[in-house]
Amino acid sequence: MTIVIERGVEVSDRRTPLVLVSGWTDAVDATARALLGDGTVLVHHDLGHLREGVLRRTVTGTDGIVRTHILELAHGCVSCTLREDLLPLLRRLHARSSVRRIVLHLDRALEPEALCWAIEHVAVAGVVGQIDGPASRDVRVEAVVTCIDAATWLDDATGDDGLEDRGLTAGGDDERTVAQLVVGQVDYADALVVSGRAADGWAQAKLHAVLTRLAPSAPIDWVAEGGAVEAERLLARIPAGARRGEVGDAHSALLRGQPPLDEDCGVAIIEFTADRPFHPERLHEAVDALLDGVVTARGRLWLATQPEHVCWLESAGGGLQVAAAGRWLAAMTAEEQESVPTARRAMAALRWDERYGDRDTSLIVLVHAADPDHIDRAMRWALVTDEELRNESDWAGWPDPFGEWHEDPCEDGGADGGPGPQAIDSLPGETNREDRA
């Protein structure tokens, strides 16, 4: 039982703690099993049999017995099958007095952020003895642990291979990249397990520099080849302010956990801000600067041709997407603004412009082999000039490559649609941020 402080009063949280373990390495299984103990249940959905139209679910109970269930794909959809099976299962396990913790061993193709969103927001109905509602009524995310291979992770995180290139997808419509998956898994982690070592001392130091900037508050357990994972000790080292399943949005803080802002082994964080919009065609050219030597970039964009809409840019390795992220407060009525979270309105008030309101651009770029000055120059070149700023009436007539949802790099100089950035309200194969083409 967890004691939380609510308005100065201690309130007991009787929800069952939930630990998610994700990643690509054998350490995922070792870490999940290291958490087995009195009162802990281990759940795993294996996506390795999708070509047969089924998922294999195993549950290791508090009695140590492994029970296997074969699940046919609901509507041929991985997301639907996982939601219809896992979410009610979490609620049923909570109801068992013998269950004091649940550990989810995620298939390597699954992203923990998407699953945490579903736990918090997707309604579950028909569970006997329980009120209809999301699984978060009965379980709380205690930690998200991501396991990576020191020798291969940075290459995967900075490449442009698709999951299909590795024979690894979560369904026929899964067009995610390897970089998108592995960067997202680390970025969302509360703790990291790193197995083995990189090729040499420099590569090891560079990997450490990237990890401490991508997931700055996450404690790291460096495990030698064949070494044991001290999973319980790692969980105990997670700081009080960790995300623990919280899902952000385009207006959440871009720098989380106070990452180092100095350069180390060529690894650095670049902050780019602007209080004027981008020219869409110049931005379309400038984003190429974010595709080479960059681990990830993300942030809000203000496009001159889209004065109402916040655009969200997100990249991983050699792929980048620009997507919808709602509307600027300045484009809303007073009544619409009232429905916006207070924190967002308060932050907007601090930088409100009489002419443009809360419209601005804010980007964070994590580089590992790129020139920060080159990226800054490219982004500033793409902003509207002083003369263009004075002729606002012309903006609506400019050609806009981002007029439809977009993904880079473009093929044959044109645009090509695809999956959105890491889905925050869906399981693999779905997205709420559509790419502009």
Side-chain angles (χ1 to χ4, degrees):
M1 180 178 70
T2 297
I3 303 297
V4 296
I5 305 298
E6 187 175 290
R7 296 183 181 178
V9 180
E10 290 189 354
V11 180
S12 62
D13 187 344
R14 297 185 179 276
R15 295 178 296 171
T16 301
L18 177 68
V19 178
L20 289 76
V21 185
S22 71
W24 281 64
T25 73
D26 292 340
V28 176
D29 184 63
T31 301
R33 292 191 176 281
L35 292 170
L36 275 173
D38 188 29
T40 296
V41 171
L42 174 60
V43 179
H44 174 54
H45 286 82
D46 182 359
L47 306 188
H49 302 274
L50 289 181
R51 295 187 185 279
E52 303 166 23
V54 298
L55 273 72
R56 187 185 300 271
R57 182 242 285 168
T58 57
V59 177
T60 305
T62 55
D63 53 8
I65 297 175
V66 180
R67 297 170 175 84
T68 301
H69 301 265
I70 304 300
L71 308 170
E72 293 187 7
L73 290 180
H75 327 299
C77 173
V78 175
S79 299
C80 293
T81 306
L82 285 171
R83 285 177 173 173
E84 293 178 11
D85 181 70
L86 176 58
L87 301 182
L89 175 63
L90 294 177
R91 302 200 68 186
R92 292 196 301 271
L93 289 174
H94 162 77
R96 298 181 186 175
S97 60
S98 61
V99 176
R100 293 198 287 273
R101 181 173 64 181
I102 304 168
V103 175
L104 294 185
H105 169 187
L106 301 188
D107 185 276
R108 62 179 58 196
L110 295 179
E111 300 178 56
E113 185 176 7
L115 189 53
C116 287
W117 188 95
I119 290 169
E120 183 66 31
H121 295 286
V122 175
V124 179
V127 178
V128 176
Q130 291 170 297
I131 299 172
D132 292 352
S136 59
R137 291 182 62 92
D138 299 317
V139 299
R140 58 175 175 81
V141 177
E142 181 180 36
V144 175
V145 181
T146 294
C147 305
I148 70 172
D149 183 345
T152 61
W153 183 85
L154 190 54
D155 285 340
D156 287 338
T158 55
D160 55 9
D161 285 356
L163 291 182
E164 190 173 6
D165 297 329
R166 306 287 184 89
L168 180 66
T169 65
D173 59 350
D174 189 354
E175 299 181 25
R176 292 172 299 160
T177 66
V178 172
Q180 179 185 337
L181 177 60
V182 302
V183 168
Q185 288 174 337
V186 169
D187 175 67
Y188 199 65
D190 298 313
L192 298 171
V193 175
V194 184
S195 302
R197 292 190 62 81
D200 53 41
W202 174 260
Q204 185 79 2
K206 190 167 190 174
L207 172 64
H208 182 266
V210 170
L211 296 179
T212 54
R213 286 158 178 77
L214 187 57
S217 64
I220 303 176
D221 189 359
W222 298 88
V223 181
E225 187 173 349
V229 178
E230 298 184 349
E232 295 288 2
R233 290 188 180 183
L234 182 62
L235 294 188
R237 292 165 53 200
I238 296 174
R243 295 177 73 168
R244 301 183 192 272
E246 179 184 356
V247 176
D249 60 26
H251 301 281
S252 300
L254 296 177
L255 280 176
R256 296 185 297 264
Q258 298 181 330
L261 298 179
D262 58 325
E263 183 269 340
D264 184 12
C265 300
V267 177
I269 289 176
I270 303 169
E271 298 180 78
F272 178 86
T273 61
D275 57 4
R276 63 175 62 195
F278 283 111
H279 187 291
E281 289 188 308
R282 291 202 297 272
L283 178 62
H284 190 258
E285 294 184 44
V287 293
D288 284 349
L290 303 178
L291 299 176
D292 188 19
V294 173
V295 178
T296 184
R298 65 173 182 265
R300 299 175 295 275
L301 304 179
W302 173 19
L303 285 179
T305 46
Q306 300 183 38
E308 290 198 1
H309 301 289
V310 182
C311 293
W312 175 259
L313 180 147
E314 188 167 0
S315 78
L320 177 149
Q321 298 96 11
V322 175
R327 298 163 64 206
W328 297 109
L329 294 178
M332 299 181 187
T333 64
E335 291 75 14
E336 289 172 330
Q337 291 180 13
E338 287 298 319
S339 65
V340 173
T342 302
R344 179 186 168 188
R345 284 183 282 149
M347 290 300 296
L350 294 176
R351 53 180 174 78
W352 194 268
D353 180 85
E354 290 186 5
R355 182 177 179 186
Y356 296 116
D358 60 324
R359 298 179 180 94
D360 73 343
T361 286
S362 184
L363 290 173
I364 297 298
V365 186
L366 175 58
V367 303
H368 70 99
D371 180 359
D373 290 337
H374 170 67
I375 291 174
D376 186 78
R377 286 195 301 270
M379 293 296 104
R380 297 207 178 280
W381 169 78
L383 296 170
V384 298
T385 64
D386 289 344
E387 181 178 354
E388 290 167 338
L389 193 64
R390 288 191 292 268
N391 295 292
E392 186 176 347
S393 59
D394 295 341
W395 297 357
W398 289 347
D400 185 355
F402 302 96
E404 299 293 340
W405 300 120
H406 182 77
E407 180 178 4
D408 265 332
C410 295
E411 295 183 1
D412 301 322
D416 114 19
Q422 176 174 307
I424 63 172
D425 68 344
S426 58
L427 294 172
E430 301 177 315
T431 179
N432 76 317
R433 299 170 180 169
E434 304 161 286
D435 300 326
R436 293 211 164 185

